[in-house]
Amino acid sequence: LSCWLFVCYCRTVQNDRKRLRQSKKAARRKARKAKLADEKLVSRLKPELGLNNPYEKRKMREELQMARASGRVVTGEIDHNA
């Protein structure tokens, strides 16, 4: 009986570790996806802003991340009627 309890405990611990690992992976994927989206957005901006400089690009991306985190970014759609 005690051996069975030990096996059950080991399985739950193993499942908890798997769940934790999967959640960490999901968080990494989410962060990577957001970073790629920000890079795409920055690359579509006007080149007159001086964004051909890699340091300026990184600064702009970090500012965009901070704005997203604080909820100051509003996404809009293109008006095709204009």
Side-chain angles (χ1 to χ4, degrees), residues 49-67:
L49 295 175
L51 294 178
N52 48 359
N53 182 349
Y55 301 107
E56 286 294 323
K57 267 189 182 179
R58 181 173 45 185
K59 184 179 173 187
M60 177 69 91
R61 191 177 66 235
E62 289 171 357
E63 287 175 0
L64 184 60
Q65 276 182 328
M66 294 300 289

Side-chain angles (χ1 to χ4, degrees), residues 1-18:
L1 182 65
S2 66
C3 182
W4 180 78
L5 287 174
F6 179 71
V7 169
C8 251
Y9 174 75
C10 286
R11 284 185 183 160
T12 57
V13 169
Q14 186 178 19
N15 288 339
D16 289 343
R17 281 194 311 245
K18 282 183 182 178

